[in-house]
Amino acid sequence: MSYEVKSLNEECGIFGVWGHPDAARVTYFGLHSLQHRGQEGAGIVSNDAGKLYGYRELGLLSEVFKDDRQLAQLKGNAAIGHVRYATAGNGSVDNIQPFLFKFYDCSVGLAHNGNLTNACSLRTELERDGAIFHSNSDTEILMHLIRRSKKETWLDQLKEALNQVKGGFAYILMREDCMIAALDANGFRPLAIGKMKNGAYVVASETCALEVSGAEFVRDVQPGEIIIINGDGVKIEHFTKDTQHAICSMEYVYFARPDSNIAGVNVHTARKNMGRNLAKEAPVAADMVIGVPNSSLSAASGYAEASGIPYELGLVKNQYVARTFIQPTQELREQGVRMKLSAVRGVVAGKKVIMVDDSIVRGTTSRRIVDLLKEAGAKEVHVRIASPPLKYPCFYGIDIQTRKELIAANHSVEEIRQVIGADSLSYLSEEGLINAIGLDFDAPYGGLCMAYFNGDYPTPLYDYQEKYQASLKEQTSFF
Amino acid sequence: MSYEVKSLNEECGIFGVWGHPDAARVTYFGLHSLQHRGQEGAGIVSNDAGKLYGYRELGLLSEVFKDDRQLAQLKGNAAIGHVRYATAGNGSVDNIQPFLFKFYDCSVGLAHNGNLTNACSLRTELERDGAIFHSNSDTEILMHLIRRSKKETWLDQLKEALNQVKGGFAYILMREDCMIAALDANGFRPLAIGKMKNGAYVVASETCALEVSGAEFVRDVQPGEIIIINGDGVKIEHFTKDTQHAICSMEYVYFARPDSNIAGVNVHTARKNMGRNLAKEAPVAADMVIGVPNSSLSAASGYAEASGIPYELGLVKNQYVARTFIQPTQELREQGVRMKLSAVRGVVAGKKVIMVDDSIVRGTTSRRIVDLLKEAGAKEVHVRIASPPLKYPCFYGIDIQTRKELIAANHSVEEIRQVIGADSLSYLSEEGLINAIGLDFDAPYGGLCMAYFNGDYPTPLYDYQEKYQASLKEQTSFF
Amino acid sequence: MSYEVKSLNEECGIFGVWGHPDAARVTYFGLHSLQHRGQEGAGIVSNDAGKLYGYRELGLLSEVFKDDRQLAQLKGNAAIGHVRYATAGNGSVDNIQPFLFKFYDCSVGLAHNGNLTNACSLRTELERDGAIFHSNSDTEILMHLIRRSKKETWLDQLKEALNQVKGGFAYILMREDCMIAALDANGFRPLAIGKMKNGAYVVASETCALEVSGAEFVRDVQPGEIIIINGDGVKIEHFTKDTQHAICSMEYVYFARPDSNIAGVNVHTARKNMGRNLAKEAPVAADMVIGVPNSSLSAASGYAEASGIPYELGLVKNQYVARTFIQPTQELREQGVRMKLSAVRGVVAGKKVIMVDDSIVRGTTSRRIVDLLKEAGAKEVHVRIASPPLKYPCFYGIDIQTRKELIAANHSVEEIRQVIGADSLSYLSEEGLINAIGLDFDAPYGGLCMAYFNGDYPTPLYDYQEKYQASLKEQTSFF
Amino acid sequence: MSYEVKSLNEECGIFGVWGHPDAARVTYFGLHSLQHRGQEGAGIVSNDAGKLYGYRELGLLSEVFKDDRQLAQLKGNAAIGHVRYATAGNGSVDNIQPFLFKFYDCSVGLAHNGNLTNACSLRTELERDGAIFHSNSDTEILMHLIRRSKKETWLDQLKEALNQVKGGFAYILMREDCMIAALDANGFRPLAIGKMKNGAYVVASETCALEVSGAEFVRDVQPGEIIIINGDGVKIEHFTKDTQHAICSMEYVYFARPDSNIAGVNVHTARKNMGRNLAKEAPVAADMVIGVPNSSLSAASGYAEASGIPYELGLVKNQYVARTFIQPTQELREQGVRMKLSAVRGVVAGKKVIMVDDSIVRGTTSRRIVDLLKEAGAKEVHVRIASPPLKYPCFYGIDIQTRKELIAANHSVEEIRQVIGADSLSYLSEEGLINAIGLDFDAPYGGLCMAYFNGDYPTPLYDYQEKYQASLKEQTSFF
């Protein structure tokens, strides 16, 4: 997952466990395997027999929980945790989750992955009615709606609130007496349930976090479901039955870890299939196939296998991330780029290379990699992208909200080829992607959200509608 | 380079530049690409028109140079740097290099990669004569020998000192008026010279650090050479002509970055050849070949290519390193292991797997990975090691100094197979390794040091001789 | 101010400036001179032409603003700041002020010194109506009341809110277009207005913060007033006319800095008068008068002057505070005490000593100091306390909320003498204290709150009433 | 001790204990009471049955030993410690003591207070002979001399070395089998021995550190003595009999804590006498006497007592030190000064004030304080200095090494008065000072070093002689 060199950011990863004596520690390990979903901050809320404890901080998980002291204070046999995506600059600890709300009558922890499409209007409405928000995050809204609901039981209050928020969301709540998971009506974001050997239940954004916890996969949370976990086991409720599957296809293409399964489909396998289909759709004569580490290695090996062209390690990624504020200044800028990724001169020199990548956002990184390969002596560089062109923003939880930053929204494939300096460029077709993933829900695209590729949003856009319409008329040059 | 999961440690990485206005920054980038050679600490000594400045600290390079302030103080157009290997516990900043010596008549910076075999006796002798050491490091010895030399010129003093130290060493020294590189008479450790576009000269442990600096490869430093770099260019001297090539074969097998070339041989290519030769020597019917990330991916793809068996991504490595002191306590220990490496259930379940690794030290990690694969449903796991059994300690710069910690020094291949729980186990032969690397110096093994595999040390062992002889009689059980 | 050795804690210090180009920096200096009023955390909210920026953190001011970076981000020509008192343990940054509220229609900064007596019931009521609080602090309540007010103008909303909160409060608010100060109807806590040479207005808990800012004293904020400061100057409004003066007498006795004036009375002078009155009320033949540094030095010199007995430096305070978690374990505990305060053997040995202190809370510190003096050879130690016995809790902003921790609430003066091991013990009378301060407002005790001494609370106790009544019946032994 | 506002720096404080199960902890407490002697860095070397452990770091003691972890590692029942003076800028941990030397045949810890006058020539000589130094500190020299001695026993080696170093020194050494203290032949720096109740022996720069350790004073170390402490008790040796007393008079005037005794004389008492003598020598009609906190409070009270003029608290010192790098920029610079010290307007306004200070170095601080008092309304400010004019540098351990920085070396008293803006200025006479301290050793000035006042150095100046002679001819203007 080459998050360091790409400007695509997942919104978050969430995790929860109920029934384990070392709940905070299990959550720490779970979050560690979800770290690729968010690097800005992390936190855990634990539940010790009804008393909730919380700790959250800016930074990587290993920075937030620097030693055992913080974890030791998060007592209890249940816990939820959160890793938040990295944004430039305005990071404040106020936005780091899980949120821990303490009321006169109860306490609640809340963690959220996704993006609400009516957050802005709900928030204004609530503030007009006297509500005070303490973060910029959409997440707080759910708690205000719950607390203002006039329903009698907390479950009915929760259902009412969940029906008011629109867009993509996977929530985990920690109440004093139970842990709750809920998924939006379209199932945009993944959320899976597992069971540990000691009977503890685990909920996580990706199945890789079940594996690391030693939990066995039980089932995916389904769109519209509320999962209630406590000492009595798992109970399933629904806040709506008006649901469908529109699973984020970019989870398969780029975000999720290759060892995770989403809706029963292994991510590595899906990527390998994308590579295979790409080889069939866009063959080219060359000496070798190389993948851009790490997210494109699966697709590259699939392309190699299907094409019969050898798979080579032509690019090496430095595992140590340098502080970005050590600026390479002027002529050294070029070296800065080379700190992250190096071309293997001994492998690519004098060769025709097929470079497989998962996607292109702005094209800047692709251009740099093509440059690296050519400087290392590659005779030809043929770029093959294992997904269709990214042309439309996402409003359900991925950090692309304008068409301005998407090269494919502003340029033809041939123009992009020129921008990145490749000898040829091809993308996987929409059908090729859908086929590679191979879902077959009774829903458009077999149950995938393909909106970034074709603008076919599965829901109304609410607060974003107007801005989106305007953006369709604008054009930006990337040359 | 799976240093997190293996107990093999390189001793260090060194870098130097002469003639660049941003010398400390160039050194920072160079060291960044050598970070895999040492993670305990880092430092830089710069030279500003004869005035030397130094900064060194425990931690990763990005921790040592946390912001621009430290680099900004390292003024000058020449600099040398060092990354030091990670050892458990007794880390003291006193041992972090480069050392900066300030005398009444001059200042000298000193960085060292390697291990001296007569360090202990030299040190005792020097102390008996009134010398005071300030670190545990071998490195200081050279400076004491230089300062005590009665020769007239500094070059003759240096030559005399270099002839007194035995074992493996690559030194870079910063004097007020020049930068000096020196390599031991057997050339155990790699050391390459490059030239930047602006005419600046660069010296580095690996060629990948030349690439990241935008420098072009000039030549490898040869055994017995002293390279003197200053405004007049590069001058070559020799402290001895009694030399041969005995290049550390483990650099090719495990330590060096795949994009580096050593003695003209690309490391990735050498590893791929090891995999190919291994496929020929130890074939087995299976559904897929997988490599242990990251150091064994080249060998695995070579094995796959030569055998015709598909190469798959069956193991995923977490890019985020968790603090090790967050202890997984009791039953959670298993999860701890899974934080670093995960088996991809969707890929390996129900399959016969060939797992290619570069080497086995204690066997502990191998056993865990075999376990991971079996738990993920692998039907059979056939382990193939892309180098011969590690049976003997290294005294020239790799951190294995007793036979006790080497499983192959104490057990047969069949016994090791049992310990790690594999369905079959084979190692590459010595000939297979030598052939894969393909050096042809006029020296034993084509110019490789093969001592860890066969006990054939290219030099006397001096201070280690006695302990080594004793160790040959001991036996330890790894069951 | 011997806050390190006493368990009396002020609730906070607040500061604000409007009209200075370096507003955050002026606030930093102002808060620095108020640091004795709170050491748990600090923060600043600045106003840059209507845009509000905030930074707050746990720790001393010098730890919170570690370097210029944080201050540099607090742009604008107006700012408010807060230092928060030190409590044991549960420190969370969520409670550190100023709070910065961002609404869809405006932003508001809020800093508070004091304690509300109806906070608990107001909060429960607000939560029942859907409000969500994000801190344990009373301070948030005001903002909820403002936002829920149905009044038309923000000023009327503020007035309505200020009439709902009861107890002791001094608020500074930063709005986009003005800065506001408000004081409770009894004027429990000090709050002064000053003017800088460039015309900027300053508001601060103590006049020493005006001095450090180079501002000239203008007037004290009066009970029931709302002070509105903006480009047009200062405007005075009232939220109530039902006011009186009941200024906290402990500000004069212990909390305030000696260079501050409160209601026109200099604190050092008041303390010196307390010492003088004490000498008259409780004379004793002795060789010297010594004060407990630093808060009792003024009173001691007054006692010495009035009695004609020489004033000596018999106790020395270490200016360096040791980390308290370096525990002196077992027999070393005694040394721990000596780290803060030392008796000067050369001065007190063989002498009859009058030890003047400002007050006694639990008696633990007094006993230790008497011990120190006796171990250093003092023949007799006569303790004189420059205020009446502390018998009742404070609900208006000082951190004594139960009678259990007050030795004088549970024991006679003779019993206290025995507990602390003094040869004699006397307290200043209530009249002696009132006379020493010398206010003459048309109000009980000349305008002082004397409740801690006599239980005569100037207001109803609201939420505390019940607990207080119960506490009157309990008795604890300090022997 | 107003080290924050004065540019006079002591060189260090040292402490040692032998025979206490919590030796490192006892040392921590001892160093804490010596913190005023050095704030740049601190360290401890402990001795656990012959095994030596060390820890040292830049910063205040409470920053160096941030938590119990570092202390816990310093095992053993003997320890020595050091606090080092604060210098601007070039602080390196390499200079922080105690030094811990590990040889093939033994280990030694070494702590030093003082300054050698032949350090430079000894160092050059040693380097010419091959020695390598690792710090800028004089301290290392002793160890080189010891190790190069050809004497047979370590004691004779030590004696030989001690006779080679010249100037002012108090050393504490930790050997595996004993602790050693040694004092130069003139006894410039104080060093006292104490005994704890459990029989443990303590050595410290000041007796206040004995008090804090609960140790009883035994005797001062005498010039030329070597004190050897081990399980057998205390043994006294001499490295020279050619000794005299020349105790640093500035220890009494400024450096030492008022609760310490030096050569049997209490520091507070000496200072009070200085004030008394000053009142007699330089009387003036005024309304009050005020002292500059904290070092001048004793002298001020002596002046008040002898003159019959009331002693008042006219200046208040802020106990919280602000980070100096929060620069008050331009017009705020004035506020910056006020952060440290405030004049009490209510006390001094309209009054004639006698301001007593211990000494004047550059005059900058004095001018600022006079300004503060005048701005606060003082009608007249008469400055009285409780020691003679500082005209000559110190080469024995105080950080004044040039006459350029001493206003009294360059200006008459009347000129100084004009520079600092006082209405009158007088200094104490040399006789007044000598009489106030009242030593009566058979030596010049009763056993005091008065060189800073009269240039009468008790020893040859060695390496400093030439520079000193030259400086006598230079003149600098402070106007």
Side-chain angles (χ1 to χ4, degrees), chain D residues 112-248:
Chain D
H112 173 214
N113 176 27
N115 190 62
L116 305 185
T117 44
N118 63 340
C120 191
S121 49
L122 281 176
R123 185 172 174 140
T124 303
E125 203 178 306
L126 285 161
E127 287 194 355
R128 279 210 180 103
D129 196 39
I132 296 183
F133 284 78
H134 290 263
S135 70
N136 302 324
S137 154
D138 288 3
T139 307
E140 252 187 290
I141 289 169
L142 187 75
M143 190 50 58
H144 282 277
L145 294 173
I146 293 172
R147 295 295 294 183
R148 281 157 185 262
S149 168
K150 302 299 179 205
K151 299 286 179 187
E152 284 222 349
T153 70
W154 67 259
L155 184 56
D156 285 339
Q157 291 167 2
L158 175 61
K159 285 181 181 175
E160 187 179 60
L162 288 170
N163 277 302
Q164 288 172 271
V165 292
K166 303 299 176 191
F169 55 80
Y171 288 113
I172 306 184
L173 288 90
M174 177 61 73
R175 283 175 49 89
E176 289 156 358
D177 56 355
C178 65
M179 179 168 77
I180 300 156
L183 190 64
D184 70 77
N186 294 279
F188 289 112
R189 308 256 67 92
L191 194 60
I193 307 173
K195 189 172 184 180
M196 297 179 78
K197 277 166 199 159
N198 75 342
Y201 281 96
V202 170
V203 181
S205 288
E206 289 187 34
T207 62
C208 67
L210 305 185
E211 294 278 336
V212 87
S213 313
E216 205 166 314
F217 175 76
V218 174
R219 70 190 281 278
D220 288 310
V221 179
Q222 298 300 317
E225 284 187 351
I226 295 175
I227 308 292
I228 303 162
I229 299 171
N230 57 22
D232 301 334
V234 172
K235 194 176 145 199
I236 300 172
E237 293 272 349
H238 297 80
F239 64 89
T240 178
K241 295 275 184 167
D242 180 11
T243 66
Q244 67 170 344
H245 279 90
I247 301 175
C248 174

